[in-house]
Amino acid sequence: MAKIIALAFKLPDASENSTFTDVDGGSWYEPYVLSLLESGITNGMGNGIFGIGQDITRQDAFTMLAKVLKLDLTSYADKSTGFGDDNEISDYARASINALKNLGIVGGDTNGNVNPTAKITRAEIAKV
Protein backbone atom coordinates (compact mmCIF):
# COMPACT_ATOMS: atom_id res chain seq x y z
CA MET A 1 0.00 0.00 0.00
CA ALA A 2 2.81 2.40 0.86
CA LYS A 3 4.47 1.83 -2.52
CA ILE A 4 1.19 2.22 -4.41
CA ILE A 5 0.39 5.55 -2.74
CA ALA A 6 3.94 6.92 -2.92
CA LEU A 7 4.28 6.16 -6.62
CA ALA A 8 0.73 6.99 -7.70
CA PHE A 9 0.80 10.40 -6.04
CA LYS A 10 4.48 11.10 -6.69
CA LEU A 11 5.27 11.75 -3.04
CA PRO A 12 8.70 13.19 -2.36
CA ASP A 13 11.57 10.93 -1.46
CA ALA A 14 12.18 10.52 2.25
CA SER A 15 15.07 12.40 3.79
CA GLU A 16 15.47 10.42 7.01
CA ASN A 17 16.04 6.87 8.17
CA SER A 18 13.31 4.71 9.61
CA THR A 19 12.61 4.69 13.31
CA PHE A 20 10.07 1.86 12.91
CA THR A 21 11.35 -1.33 14.49
CA ASP A 22 9.74 -3.47 11.77
CA VAL A 23 11.12 -1.49 8.79
CA ASP A 24 14.49 -2.86 7.77
CA GLY A 25 16.99 -0.20 6.75
CA GLY A 26 17.84 -0.52 3.07
CA SER A 27 14.81 -2.71 2.32
CA TRP A 28 12.91 -2.20 -0.94
CA TYR A 29 9.91 -0.84 0.97
CA GLU A 30 11.72 1.54 3.34
CA PRO A 31 11.68 4.59 1.04
CA TYR A 32 7.93 4.25 0.44
CA VAL A 33 7.12 3.87 4.13
CA LEU A 34 9.26 6.89 4.99
CA SER A 35 7.72 8.92 2.18
CA LEU A 36 4.24 8.32 3.63
CA LEU A 37 5.48 9.11 7.12
CA GLU A 38 7.18 12.36 6.13
CA SER A 39 4.18 13.41 4.01
CA GLY A 40 1.84 12.94 6.97
CA ILE A 41 -0.14 10.17 5.28
CA THR A 42 0.46 7.70 8.11
CA ASN A 43 2.15 7.46 11.47
CA GLY A 44 2.23 3.69 11.55
CA MET A 45 0.44 1.55 14.10
CA GLY A 46 1.98 3.06 17.22
CA ASN A 47 4.66 1.77 19.58
CA GLY A 48 7.31 2.25 16.87
CA ILE A 49 5.68 -0.25 14.50
CA PHE A 50 4.64 0.44 10.92
CA GLY A 51 2.90 -2.89 10.32
CA ILE A 52 5.08 -4.44 7.62
CA GLY A 53 3.57 -7.69 6.36
CA GLN A 54 0.19 -7.08 7.97
CA ASP A 55 -3.03 -6.72 6.03
CA ILE A 56 -4.44 -3.23 5.77
CA THR A 57 -8.10 -2.65 6.47
CA ARG A 58 -10.35 -0.87 4.05
CA GLN A 59 -10.92 1.96 6.53
CA ASP A 60 -7.18 2.46 7.00
CA ALA A 61 -6.61 2.50 3.24
CA PHE A 62 -9.42 5.00 2.76
CA THR A 63 -8.08 7.20 5.56
CA MET A 64 -4.65 7.29 3.91
CA LEU A 65 -6.23 8.01 0.54
CA ALA A 66 -8.22 10.94 1.94
CA LYS A 67 -5.01 12.33 3.46
CA VAL A 68 -3.01 12.06 0.26
CA LEU A 69 -5.86 13.74 -1.64
CA LYS A 70 -5.84 16.49 1.03
CA LEU A 71 -9.61 16.38 1.34
CA ASP A 72 -11.36 18.84 3.63
CA LEU A 73 -13.02 16.46 6.08
CA THR A 74 -14.56 18.98 8.47
CA SER A 75 -18.10 18.66 7.15
CA TYR A 76 -18.06 14.85 7.12
CA ALA A 77 -16.92 13.88 10.62
CA ASP A 78 -20.18 13.39 12.49
CA LYS A 79 -22.47 12.36 9.67
CA SER A 80 -23.71 8.91 8.80
CA THR A 81 -22.03 7.47 5.72
CA GLY A 82 -25.23 5.79 4.63
CA PHE A 83 -23.54 2.42 4.38
CA GLY A 84 -25.40 -0.51 5.92
CA ASP A 85 -22.46 -1.18 8.24
CA ASP A 86 -21.98 2.47 9.20
CA ASN A 87 -21.85 1.51 12.90
CA GLU A 88 -18.71 -0.60 12.25
CA ILE A 89 -16.68 2.34 10.92
CA SER A 90 -14.11 3.59 13.43
CA ASP A 91 -14.40 7.23 14.47
CA TYR A 92 -11.00 8.09 12.96
CA ALA A 93 -12.09 6.81 9.53
CA ARG A 94 -15.67 8.10 9.36
CA ALA A 95 -14.97 11.50 7.77
CA SER A 96 -12.55 10.02 5.23
CA ILE A 97 -14.98 7.31 4.14
CA ASN A 98 -17.83 9.80 4.02
CA ALA A 99 -15.86 12.26 1.87
CA LEU A 100 -14.66 9.55 -0.52
CA LYS A 101 -18.21 8.25 -0.86
CA ASN A 102 -19.59 11.70 -1.59
CA LEU A 103 -16.93 12.20 -4.27
CA GLY A 104 -17.90 8.88 -5.89
CA ILE A 105 -14.51 7.32 -5.17
CA VAL A 106 -15.76 4.68 -2.71
CA GLY A 107 -19.01 2.75 -3.02
CA GLY A 108 -20.67 -0.06 -1.15
CA ASP A 109 -20.81 -3.72 -2.02
CA THR A 110 -23.95 -5.42 -3.36
CA ASN A 111 -25.41 -5.26 0.16
CA GLY A 112 -24.68 -1.56 0.60
CA ASN A 113 -21.78 -2.13 3.01
CA VAL A 114 -18.29 -0.63 2.96
CA ASN A 115 -16.80 -3.46 5.07
CA PRO A 116 -14.44 -1.14 6.97
CA THR A 117 -12.56 -3.78 8.95
CA ALA A 118 -12.11 -6.22 6.07
CA LYS A 119 -8.68 -6.32 4.46
CA ILE A 120 -8.34 -4.45 1.20
CA THR A 121 -6.87 -6.25 -1.78
CA ARG A 122 -4.46 -4.85 -4.34
CA ALA A 123 -7.17 -5.16 -6.97
CA GLU A 124 -9.59 -3.14 -4.85
CA ILE A 125 -7.11 -0.35 -4.14
CA ALA A 126 -6.15 -0.26 -7.81
CA LYS A 127 -9.80 0.19 -8.73
CA VAL A 128 -10.18 3.00 -6.19
Side-chain angles (χ1 to χ4, degrees):
M1 184 72 186
K3 182 177 181 179
I4 290 169
I5 290 176
L7 293 178
F9 293 95
K10 299 180 176 144
L11 296 180
D13 292 337
S15 61
E16 303 204 11
N17 294 324
S18 175
T19 57
F20 293 117
T21 59
D22 61 341
V23 174
D24 296 329
S27 62
W28 68 266
Y29 53 82
E30 182 187 33
Y32 307 113
V33 168
L34 295 178
S35 181
L36 264 63
L37 177 68
E38 289 184 16
S39 297
I41 307 303
T42 185
N43 293 318
M45 298 179 70
N47 296 325
I49 296 172
F50 181 75
I52 295 297
Q54 295 186 25
D55 293 329
I56 184 167
T57 64
R58 295 170 57 81
Q59 66 185 355
D60 287 344
F62 297 153
T63 299
M64 290 193 310
L65 185 58
K67 285 182 181 179
V68 78
L69 292 173
K70 298 180 180 176
L71 298 180
D72 180 4
L73 304 177
T74 53
S75 63
Y76 297 105
D78 297 324
K79 296 181 180 175
S80 170
T81 61
F83 289 115
D85 54 356
D86 181 78
N87 62 328
E88 295 176 27
I89 299 171
S90 296
D91 290 342
Y92 72 86
R94 178 168 304 284
S96 297
I97 291 173
N98 220 343
L100 292 170
K101 179 186 179 196
N102 283 305
L103 290 170
I105 296 172
V106 172
D109 63 13
T110 56
N111 296 317
N113 296 320
V114 71
N115 305 304
T117 59
K119 72 176 183 174
I120 195 163
T121 66
R122 287 185 182 127
E124 288 171 330
I125 199 60
K127 183 177 179 183
V128 170

